[in-house]
Amino acid sequence: MVKQNAIKVFEEKKVRTLWDSETEEWYFSVVDVVAILTDSENPRRYWSDLKRKLAKEGSQLYAEIVQLKMLSSDGKYYKTDVATTQQLFRLIQSIPSPKVEPFKLWMAQVAKERLDQMQDPELSIKQAMEDYKRLGYSDNWINQRLKSIEIRKELTDEWKRRGLQEGVQFATLTDIIYQSWADKTAKEYKQFKGLKKENLRDNMTNKELVLNMLAELSTKEISEATQPETFDYHKDVAKRGGNIAREARLRLEEETGIPVISPLSARDYLQIENQAED
């Protein structure tokens, strides 16, 4: 499953969701939905009681509920009961609430927005901008991040054209690129920033994003020029692309005396920006 975390908002209340690009399904956090519909002080207990009720009734819906990892308020990911749009439509019929009908309309709108985005990529970009803005990122950083997404996709499209497989091969080449320009694998880079499950690029500074873009763009351009036929050759291309960004990094550090690779996470530098504005 290729999953994309997202936060949706219904009447100013957050609903954690995951988009599965393979099945083209939204998965909604059941506890978040229960909290909205019931206004319960303990939505987890309400959902636990409802699960027992459904199990006793032999409901097929209960058997269909799965668990996926979602971001919690403490910044960590935990397995959470989730339901697809169709399952959620059936589930909320068991919850007496005046918000059920408005919530159904809201879910239909969420599904429509995703279909619109699939047909018009510009809408996806607009949604990404709104999501990053809501998290507190600056316009300058958002522009860099969106550009980095575009360049990353161009690189992975090139790898796919050369017959490489997503998963281990993509991860191996990405590690080589990081190691070449930043002297750290993806895992070491995340550890340096104190990250666990968070997205590394979402926690890069502008300088880090720019140099990583240079590394990935260079790798793509070299691949197109040399047309590697073996995985070992692809690894060599990834190293060469990363080295181009490494030279730029070392030159910049020499000129400024400031390390480019920062231990700051997004939470850290957003805090710094907010304090500077105050």
Side-chain angles (χ1 to χ4, degrees):
M1 179 189 292
V2 180
K3 303 184 289 295
Q4 177 184 352
N5 281 277
I7 299 291
K8 300 298 179 183
V9 180
F10 173 78
E11 294 185 353
E12 299 183 355
K13 293 185 178 179
K14 295 180 180 180
V15 180
R16 290 169 295 166
T17 66
L18 281 175
W19 172 254
D20 182 349
S21 62
E22 293 181 3
T23 62
E24 296 185 353
E25 283 274 15
W26 276 115
Y27 285 87
F28 297 82
S29 164
V30 177
V31 170
D32 291 354
V33 173
V34 167
I36 288 171
L37 296 182
T38 65
D39 290 324
S40 170
E41 293 183 0
N42 194 335
R44 293 186 183 280
R45 179 177 296 175
Y46 189 105
W47 169 228
S48 180
D49 292 341
L50 181 56
K51 279 197 292 187
R52 280 196 293 270
K53 179 175 178 289
L54 292 171
K56 287 180 181 178
E57 294 172 351
S59 170
Q60 182 64 30
L61 176 60
Y62 172 78
E64 293 172 355
I65 296 294
V66 298
Q67 288 192 327
L68 296 174
K69 285 190 175 181
M70 286 189 162
L71 186 64
S72 185
S73 57
D74 63 2
K76 298 179 181 179
Y77 285 79
Y78 300 100
K79 285 188 175 180
T80 305
D81 286 343
V82 296
T84 64
T85 304
Q86 184 178 7
Q87 292 165 351
L88 207 54
F89 268 115
R90 289 156 53 199
L91 177 63
I92 61 180
Q93 297 301 322
S94 304
I95 301 175
S97 169
K99 297 180 182 178
V100 166
E101 290 307 317
F103 194 81
K104 284 182 181 179
L105 294 175
W106 175 82
M107 281 198 298
Q109 182 61 31
V110 168
K112 179 181 181 300
E113 286 175 0
R114 185 65 197 186
L115 289 173
D116 289 344
Q117 289 171 8
M118 291 168 66
Q119 294 171 1
D120 185 354
E122 287 188 10
L123 293 175
S124 294
I125 294 172
K126 182 180 178 182
Q127 182 63 55
M129 290 183 71
E130 291 175 356
D131 290 342
Y132 281 125
K133 274 183 174 292
R134 190 159 46 241
L135 292 170
Y137 289 97
S138 68
D139 289 343
N140 184 36
W141 185 93
I142 292 171
N143 289 332
Q144 297 282 17
R145 182 68 180 99
L146 293 179
K147 189 64 180 177
S148 76
I149 292 171
E150 177 187 340
I151 289 174
R152 174 68 181 180
K153 186 177 186 306
E154 289 176 355
L155 173 59
T156 56
D157 285 347
E158 167 65 12
W159 285 343
K160 288 175 185 176
R161 282 193 294 270
R162 302 292 168 200
L164 299 185
Q165 301 297 315
E166 293 185 62
V168 175
Q169 288 189 325
F170 278 27
T172 299
L173 295 178
T174 300
D175 259 352
I176 291 172
I177 293 171
Y178 281 138
Q179 183 77 57
S180 298
W181 83 262
D183 292 326
K184 299 179 190 301
T185 63
K187 182 178 179 180
E188 291 168 345
Y189 209 154
K190 292 178 76 170
Q191 289 174 340
F192 183 66
K193 286 181 174 287
L195 306 176
K196 292 183 180 178
K197 298 292 186 179
E198 300 93 328
N199 184 292
L200 176 56
R201 292 176 180 84
D202 281 352
N203 287 273
M204 286 184 176
T205 64
N206 277 328
K207 286 187 290 187
E208 290 171 302
L209 277 175
V210 168
L211 286 172
N212 194 60
M213 282 192 282
L214 176 59
E216 294 192 326
L217 176 63
S218 300
T219 301
K220 190 261 299 184
E221 295 283 333
I222 295 171
S223 179
E224 288 177 339
T226 60
Q227 301 183 16
E229 296 182 355
T230 67
F231 189 56
D232 282 342
Y233 197 165
H234 276 287
K235 289 193 287 187
D236 178 64
V237 168
K239 184 174 182 179
R240 287 154 63 188
N243 280 340
I244 290 173
R246 176 187 177 83
E247 291 174 13
R249 185 201 113 207
L250 294 176
R251 179 66 185 276
L252 179 59
E253 290 177 339
E254 181 182 347
E255 293 287 341
T256 64
I258 301 172
V260 167
I261 310 301
S262 169
L264 294 178
S265 67
R267 185 177 302 176
D268 296 327
Y269 63 73
L270 286 174
Q271 245 180 1
I272 293 171
E273 285 186 355
N274 291 334
Q275 288 171 358
E277 290 175 1
D278 293 342

